[in-house]
Structure formats: structure tokens, C-alpha cells
């Protein structure tokens, strides 16, 4: 079969278990495994060994973590002020009350992947 010899081999794809661990990923993975174990034993009626095999097959990894800043659009800023809402909720923790409001929110953006 000459056709199959001309097809390039795909690059090596890493296994889920080879991806690095994080504390948050381990915590969430343990929690999800407990929930799955309880669900499979209670609702599906499987015995503990089968349920443990299913729960242990779940792998969770945090594959991206970024510090981000989201800026509020001026239109939303005007709307908040027009509604007489407390603009103190938009003030940064160390920002003096006399400072102009920046209407931006620093946060972390994380990407989680779950494998089975």
C-alpha cells in the first residue's frame, strides 16, 4: 500500500499525566473524583472497586494562568453613575477615596482541562 507510506506521522502528543501539577488542579481533581465516586456508587449502583477505577481515570490540569485587567466601558460607567449605585465597589483596595475611579478589575484567568 504505497499511499499509507506517504502519509507523515503525527507529532508526539503528550499524555495528560505528563502535564505539570498545580495545587489548585490537585484540589479540584480530588474533589471531582470524590463526587464521581459518590455518584457512581449511589446512583449507578456500581461496587467500590469499579467506582474507584472510574474516578481514578479522571485527570484535571491547569494549562494556562494569566493575570488580566478588564476595563469597564465608558457607557457602563455612565450607567452605574446614573443609577446612583455605590461607585465604591469599583474602587481598588489601596486607592484613596479622593482618587478618580479607574473602573478596571484585575483578575486571574485560568484554563482547566479535564481528561478521562
Amino acid at each position: 500500500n504505497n499511499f499509507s507510506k506517504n502519509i507523515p506521522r503525527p507529532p508526539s502528543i503528550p499524555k495528560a499525566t505528563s502535564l505539570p501539577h498545580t495545587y489548585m488542579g490537585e484540589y479540584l481533581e480530588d474533589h471531582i473524583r470524590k463526587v464521581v465516586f459518590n455518584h457512581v456508587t449511589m446512583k449507578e449502583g456500581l461496587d467500590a472497586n469499579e467506582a474507584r477505577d472510574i474516578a481514578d481515570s479522571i485527570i484535571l490540569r491547569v494549562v494556562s494562568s494569566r493575570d488580566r485587567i478588564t476595563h469597564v466601558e465608558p457607557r457602563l460607567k455612565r450607567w452605574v453613575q446614573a443609577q446612583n449605585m455605590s461607585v465604591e465597589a469599583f474602587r481598588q483596595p489601596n486607592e484613596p477615596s479622593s482618587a478618580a475611579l479607574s473602573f478596571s478589575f484585575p483578575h486571574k484567568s485560568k484554563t482547566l482541562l479535564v481528561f478521562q
Side-chain angles (χ1 to χ4, degrees):
N1 208 346
N2 290 336
F3 180 72
S4 62
K5 292 179 183 177
N6 295 332
I7 297 175
R9 295 184 61 169
S12 175
I13 299 173
K15 302 248 185 236
T17 54
S18 67
L19 296 172
H21 294 266
T22 62
Y23 291 118
M24 183 180 82
E26 288 179 11
Y27 174 80
L28 291 172
E29 185 178 69
D30 290 341
H31 180 72
I32 289 171
R33 284 180 175 175
K34 288 176 188 173
V35 169
V36 168
F37 179 82
N38 289 336
H39 175 78
V40 171
T41 54
M42 299 290 198
K43 304 276 183 180
E44 303 296 326
L46 294 178
D47 67 350
N49 290 333
E50 290 175 316
R52 192 170 294 108
D53 289 342
I54 292 170
D56 288 344
S57 69
I58 295 173
I59 299 168
L60 185 139
R61 294 292 185 265
V62 178
V63 294
S64 174
S65 179
R66 296 181 180 187
D67 292 327
R68 308 281 309 249
I69 296 177
T70 299
H71 299 283
V72 176
E73 294 184 17
R75 195 170 97 188
L76 179 59
K77 182 179 174 181
R78 289 191 303 271
W79 180 82
V80 167
Q81 291 169 337
Q83 300 298 317
N84 293 325
M85 292 183 171
S86 173
V87 292
E88 293 301 315
F90 294 93
R91 198 171 302 284
Q92 300 300 319
N94 297 329
E95 194 174 27
S97 59
S98 61
L101 292 175
S102 61
F103 282 85
S104 62
F105 303 96
H107 61 90
K108 286 193 182 279
S109 175
K110 297 186 183 275
T111 303
L112 306 171
L113 294 180
V114 180
F115 305 91
Q116 183 178 15

